[in-house]
Amino acid sequence: MKISLAALLACACLLGLVWGQRAIPPDETEIIAGVAAQYVAETGGAPTDCFARPSALEGVRMVVICENDRDAPWARAVDTYGATVDIGPDLLAEELRT
């Protein structure tokens, strides 16, 4: 069975497109929405309780903070792709104060 060069190039281009799309980090809105969904699942709060601020910490893109009138602030530090970064409670508390 012969596979034409055009078919091989089309497959290579398709793979490159898929892998390239995965390499593009989500924007801030997508990250905040994802972390807000975690907050809602864990606490039952509203996604509108959440906002974010940039972080100067190495490997941390932003800190998403969710506040309501009843509880202490809930926060997560996230990287460029929106994955949670464990920075320790002291650093996280300092990020909440800035």
Side-chain angles (χ1 to χ4, degrees), residues 65-78:
I65 304 161
C66 302
E67 297 179 320
N68 59 41
D69 296 336
R70 302 177 308 274
D71 304 318
W74 182 97
R76 292 287 186 272
V78 294

Side-chain angles (χ1 to χ4, degrees), residues 1-28:
M1 179 167 122
K2 291 184 177 182
I3 297 178
S4 71
L5 181 59
L8 285 174
L9 287 174
C11 288
C13 288
L14 183 61
L15 272 174
L17 181 64
V18 169
W19 287 340
Q21 289 294 325
R22 288 184 180 177
I24 297 172
D27 64 19
E28 285 83 5

Side-chain angles (χ1 to χ4, degrees), residues 40-63:
V40 170
E42 289 179 22
T43 68
T48 54
D49 295 340
C50 301
F51 63 96
R53 60 174 66 138
S55 175
L57 294 173
E58 179 85 26
V60 178
R61 181 176 181 179
M62 69 178 74
V63 176

Side-chain angles (χ1 to χ4, degrees), residues 7 12 16 29 31 35 45-46 53 55 58 66 69 73-74 77 79 85 88-89 92 96:
T29 303
I31 292 173
V35 175
R53 60 174 66 138
S55 175
E58 179 85 26
C66 302
D69 296 336
W74 182 97
D79 67 8
V85 177
L92 188 57
L96 292 175

